Amino acid sequence: MPEHFPLMIAGAIEPASSLEVVAPFDQSPIAKVDTCGADGIEQALQTAYTLFRDRDAWLPVHRRIAILEQCAELIRARAEFLAIEAAREGGKPLIDSRVEVVRAIDSIRLCAESLRGATGEVIAMGINPASAGKQAHTVSEPIGVVVALSAFNHPLNLIAHQIGPAVAAGCPVIVKPAQDTPLSCYRLVALLREAGLPDAWCQALVSESNEVTGRLVADRRVAFLSFIGSARVGWMLRSQLAPGARCALEHGGAAPVIVARDADIGVVVPKLLKGGFYHAGQVCVSVQRVFAHASLARQLASRLAEGAARLRIGDPTLEQTEVGPLIRPAEVERIGHWVREAVDDGAELLSGGRPLSDTTYACTVLYDPPDSSRVSNEEIFGPVVCVYPYTDLDEAIARANSLPWAFQAAVFTDSMVTASRAAERLDASAVMINDHTAFRVDWMPFAGLRQSGLGVGGIPYTLHDMQVRKMIVVEAATPGAS
């Protein structure tokens, strides 16, 4: 019998309907999740907003720290269960889902640690006649109600990155997970509540329609939107925000890699295999476009193809699986169509290029697809890596920069001169030297530029954005006054 997950809205509410959650690998039912309509959205928003407007109800910093630290310990105690269940619902192999759980623990702990190190700012006074006798400093306050809309590909740690900082900042938060992977979110919210967070401070729901979700985002009571997902949806939602509401958008990209002529292929290939085929390429900074010097491009592509063909694809809950399924069968069809289109346009297929089942696709390496192909100019979000030969470094950088996406990029070289030149000229928020584009730790800034996003992610940066700085100016007593 599939598990049942009710709405996690403070107070009683009748569900609008229910959603069946299935395992992406074999489409077997896992759970049923209640969904809410407009009345559920209204109740969640009114609960959160009323809580925020009652300053006497705000949780003191020491209590927020204690809740977050206890939550991290609860995740640690149930780590294996959470990893297996995340692998089941999201399709990320168990070996990687275990890493995600460890990262989620760190993310929640980082929220508490960021509060411990938080300081205000002293503003200079007394430096002109108008400021004489005054003192000023800043304090941080919660921005207000946070709405978090999340993606499927990291069903536990993405939620931790959105609701953890909100709790740390003292903001009531309403979180809507991806419909494909709501269970890890609900489990994390339940652990926060078990750790002592009152229910009203963190509510979780799945809406019955996009229209209902739009009402949640556009409501005037929302102070901050945290969105992780497609650029099309993210920019549309931003346009619907009420005046004064702030947002952080994390979209996708088509991450470029520059491989210089002096790079060690033996070092490069394993890194690109991991960065390109991790979670079947369903990562916003997954390796997609590899620009390799013509002197080694063919050899690099051949060795990538050989490595891709050896990767073990299958059930994500098994220890030996290295690459799992696509999130939905429709994604297998889409990627297959894009690959066939690229081959028809002149790309050379070196490995993969075929579905292995309704839900899995072979790890694919394409050599020199034309720039007009969708695999070259749109985000693939699947297990496909393209290799392009180049002769001039600046030409390769120009091609890497030619798309409207800009997120993370990488350069492989033994030359500091080459590394510096590429890092300075690549359009990216982060450039990895001798590592793949998907590298991330949870305390670093993580930001999409141009169409790839808005704002800066990463625990301390998100916490900063979910707070406002209030300045307090004090007029000192006038000398001699009684």
Side-chain angles (χ1 to χ4, degrees), residues 66 158 177 200 261 272 302 345 401 455 471:
L158 288 183
R261 68 188 308 166
L272 296 186
S302 295
D345 288 344
N401 292 341
M471 185 174 67

Side-chain angles (χ1 to χ4, degrees), residues 3 16 26 48 51 70 86 95 114 127 132 143 186 215 231 296 299 312 333 344 400 455:
E3 191 173 357
D26 61 8
L51 189 63
Q70 178 61 21
I95 54 173
S114 296
I127 58 178
I143 194 171
Y186 277 47
R215 292 191 186 188
L296 51 74
Q299 181 186 5
R312 295 185 292 270
E333 296 178 12
D344 290 343

